[in-house]
Amino acid sequence: MVTLNRIYTRTGDAGKTRLATGQPVSKTDLRVEAYGAVDETNACIGLARVHLTADPELDAMLGRIQNELFDLGADLAMPAKADEEAGSKLRILDSQVARLEAEIDSLNDRLPALKSFILPGGTPAAAALHLARTVSRRAERDAVRLVESGEPVSAPAMRYLNRLSDHLFVAARWANDAGKAEVFWVSGGTR
């Protein structure tokens, strides 16, 4: 458990922060960008959950995901080392990715087939989940940039980020009255 007795430290006043390893980095470091976007995703999900009191099933899924996003942030904030002993650091697990996939399938099986792209919006919960989806896609792109720069990111963390946006898309559809309140894109409809 983390104990935070003091909220401000003044150590970031010069644009620097520290990774979980203690290594000082710029606040614009690719790793900081990646776990920052994960934090933004978590906030968007929190906003969606405010509107889900009538859907305890989806609310429970999203509550679990919010906790896992803190795990993901910790994973990203602690670069993996080649000689790292399995289980010695908080890392995303393949079982967490598998759970996301199972929930995607469970929700999607109860939704009507898509015949067009949908416009983000509908119910307040769905709109917030669409926002969370787009922010999670940014987090994934940030993590990909991190990997492409030669920095280590665990494979399960990358898979989790990829499945997360799919989960949030299906969750948004579900939050739109199981697809009944969706607004579809009309190609060229404003010409």
Side-chain angles (χ1 to χ4, degrees), residues 31 34-35 38 68-80 90-98 100 136 139-144 146-147 152-165:
R31 191 168 292 280
Y35 67 70
V38 167
E68 289 178 349
L69 289 179
F70 270 94
D71 294 352
L72 178 58
D75 190 330
L76 291 170
M78 176 74 68
L90 182 56
R91 300 280 179 217
I92 290 294
L93 304 173
D94 283 323
S95 60
Q96 292 170 300
V97 177
L100 280 180
S136 75
E140 181 183 15
R141 290 189 306 271
D142 289 343
V144 167
L146 189 58
V147 170
V153 175
S154 75
M158 293 302 294
R159 286 190 290 274
Y160 190 94
L161 277 167
N162 186 259
R163 298 313 181 282
L164 178 61
S165 59

Side-chain angles (χ1 to χ4, degrees), residues 2-57:
V2 175
T3 302
L4 300 173
N5 293 324
R6 197 163 161 207
I7 301 306
Y8 64 91
T9 63
R10 296 188 177 111
T11 58
D13 292 351
K16 299 288 185 187
T17 189
R18 292 186 184 276
L19 298 178
T21 60
Q23 174 189 352
V25 295
S26 169
K27 288 187 175 187
T28 62
D29 184 88
L30 291 174
R31 191 168 292 280
V32 176
E33 292 285 350
Y35 67 70
V38 167
D39 189 35
E40 289 178 59
T41 302
N42 204 338
C44 292
I45 293 171
L47 179 61
R49 291 185 67 204
V50 169
H51 302 287
L52 286 172
T53 55
D55 192 340
E57 176 190 16

Side-chain angles (χ1 to χ4, degrees), residues 80-145:
K81 295 184 178 178
D83 61 347
E84 183 176 290
E85 185 180 326
S88 65
K89 305 288 185 226
L90 182 56
R91 300 280 179 217
I92 290 294
L93 304 173
D94 283 323
S95 60
Q96 292 170 300
V97 177
R99 187 181 315 113
L100 280 180
E101 291 173 349
E103 290 175 354
I104 291 167
D105 293 343
S106 173
L107 290 173
N108 200 48
D109 288 347
R110 296 180 273 165
L111 290 167
L114 276 177
K115 296 183 171 109
S116 177
F117 289 107
I118 56 174
L119 300 179
T123 66
L129 288 167
H130 278 296
L131 180 60
R133 172 185 58 79
T134 64
V135 175
S136 75
R137 281 286 191 212
R138 178 163 34 91
E140 181 183 15
R141 290 189 306 271
D142 289 343
V144 167
R145 273 191 284 279

